[in-house]
Amino acid sequence: MAPTRCSPRRFVVTWHVRFGPALLLTVLSFSSPSFAGQTDLPAARALTSGEAIFQAGCAGCHGPNGQGAPQATIGFDKPATFPDFTDCAGTTPELDVDWRATIRDGGHGRGFSPIMPSFREELTPAQIDAVIAHLRTLCRDRSFPRGELNLPRPLRTEKAFPESETVVTAAVGAQHSPDVDSELGYEYRLSARNQLEIAVPFSVLHDDTGHRVRGVGDIAVGLKRVVFASRNAILSGQGEIILPSGNTTGGIGSGVTTFGAFASYGQLLPADAFVQFQLGTDQPTSTENAARTLFWRAAVGKSIRADAVGRMWSPMFELVSDREFVAGATANIDVVPQFQVTLNRRQHIRVNVGYQIPTTNRAGRPKQVVFYLLWDWFDGGFFEGWK
Ligand code: HEC
């Protein structure tokens, strides 16, 4: 888009050209700036097209094409998280509900820079939705699944959505001197539909004599690929190799290289409810000490937020099952009630706590308290977005 086409209606630019960048910043930090020239407010109120609202109220900072106005004209230092709305990798993970909150309440509401003004007074909810619809057209690559499909992560069921995050999960046996199984999971989104995953387990076990053994378990490296994504559903496949890095003399790890494969499916339901499924198999290269297994997991849940910028609670209920490919084996089936909650304003740090209860083959399979701490580092540093 030629820059000249968009210049006439840029209220913000006119405004700060009039007062200069220094004053712009002062005004921004002391009051919620209105749609730039207050005199133009009625004009802004009358706009209905998302594109017109964007050019009038947003382009001064975000640039006529959404890539950001030039540094020379905006008069503030762009924060590291300053969006380029044409960059699909940056914008598609963001939910409409979060953008709505940012536009209505300003950057501060979600722990972002307060330079992003609040448009609570200037724009009606319908206008905010219209401008978001316009922002969504700026990413032209349709292969990126929408962020709404990034459902809350259950404790055991793997998500279908490819993302960048770090998760520490721990399962602690609910008994005396409990065993602890923990895992550091690192996920890195490589492209629109591909994601790398590395999982490093760490266990603290008690051997037959009651001695405590601890160590790194079998490290897994996987590649996830989205095979299908619609407005409300997403399906992915993942292949992985699990290396025999565990200390088998201490009873940790299988001692054999294993190939794993699974499919994950997520489906949005009405009223912020969702279901997620995972079906997969682990195939050890030798079955002397490890068995081939088939596993499936299912989670159903719902997200509840008091308001768009408040804490989000996601109660979930999971079924977890695995079965060895051995004659006469019966499936282990566990139920895992749990809830996830966001810890900070930006909602990119979350915890989930649940209780895993075996319902079959209960001998030697204690109930476990399972929890994780998740850091969606795509959205910022661990200590960002708390205030
Ligand atoms: C005074 C400058 C300014 C104006 C005017 C402005 N923004 Fe922003 N906006 C920002 C800044 C700065 C950020 C980045 C905040 C951060 O990342 O800390 C931002 C961030 C955003 C985000 C968050 C993007 C993300 O990836 O989470 C959205 C959405 C947004 N703006 C939409 C709009 C819309 C829509 C308008 C017009 C109605 C608008 N902005 C007007 C400065 C502005």
Side-chain angles (χ1 to χ4, degrees), residues 12 15 24 28 33-35 53-54 56-62 74 76-85 90-91 94 98-100 102-103 107 110-117 119 123 128 131-132 135 346 379:
V12 174
W15 184 47
L24 172 78
L28 286 172
S34 58
F35 224 125
I53 296 165
F54 182 80
C58 322
C61 294
H62 289 292
I74 52 175
F76 58 81
D77 288 331
K78 291 178 189 169
T81 44
F82 188 74
D84 169 352
F85 288 111
T91 57
E94 300 294 330
D98 291 334
W99 276 4
R100 216 170 281 141
T102 303
I103 298 166
R110 288 185 59 229
F112 285 112
S113 163
I115 299 170
M116 166 63 204
F119 288 90
L123 296 177
I128 291 179
V131 77
I132 291 174
L135 294 179
R346 200 172 293 177
D379 255 347

Side-chain angles (χ1 to χ4, degrees), residues 28-62:
L28 286 172
S29 48
F30 287 109
S31 68
S32 130
S34 58
F35 224 125
Q38 278 84 340
T39 47
D40 290 318
L41 210 58
R45 277 272 183 214
L47 296 175
T48 52
S49 113
E51 156 113 58
I53 296 165
F54 182 80
Q55 296 307 341
C58 322
C61 294
H62 289 292

Side-chain angles (χ1 to χ4, degrees), residues 10 156 168 172 241 278 347:
R10 272 186 282 154
R156 298 301 195 190
V168 182
V172 183
I241 176 164
Q278 185 190 5
Q347 312 210 326

Side-chain angles (χ1 to χ4, degrees), residues 187-260:
E187 295 172 358
Y188 182 82
R189 189 172 187 175
L190 300 166
S191 62
R193 297 201 160 204
N194 296 305
Q195 177 215 289
L196 173 75
E197 184 164 325
I198 301 170
V200 182
F202 188 87
S203 301
V204 181
L205 306 176
H206 294 81
D207 65 14
D208 300 341
T209 61
H211 279 292
R212 210 158 66 161
V213 192
R214 59 178 145 195
V216 170
D218 293 349
I219 295 175
V221 180
L223 195 64
K224 179 176 288 170
R225 177 160 175 83
V226 177
V227 288
F228 163 85
S230 70
R231 208 175 151 71
N232 292 318
I234 180 166
L235 175 67
S236 299
Q238 176 159 327
E240 58 189 23
I241 176 164
I242 305 159
L243 305 165
S245 50
N247 163 15
T248 40
T249 46
I252 299 174
S254 66
V256 53
T257 301
T258 298
F259 291 98

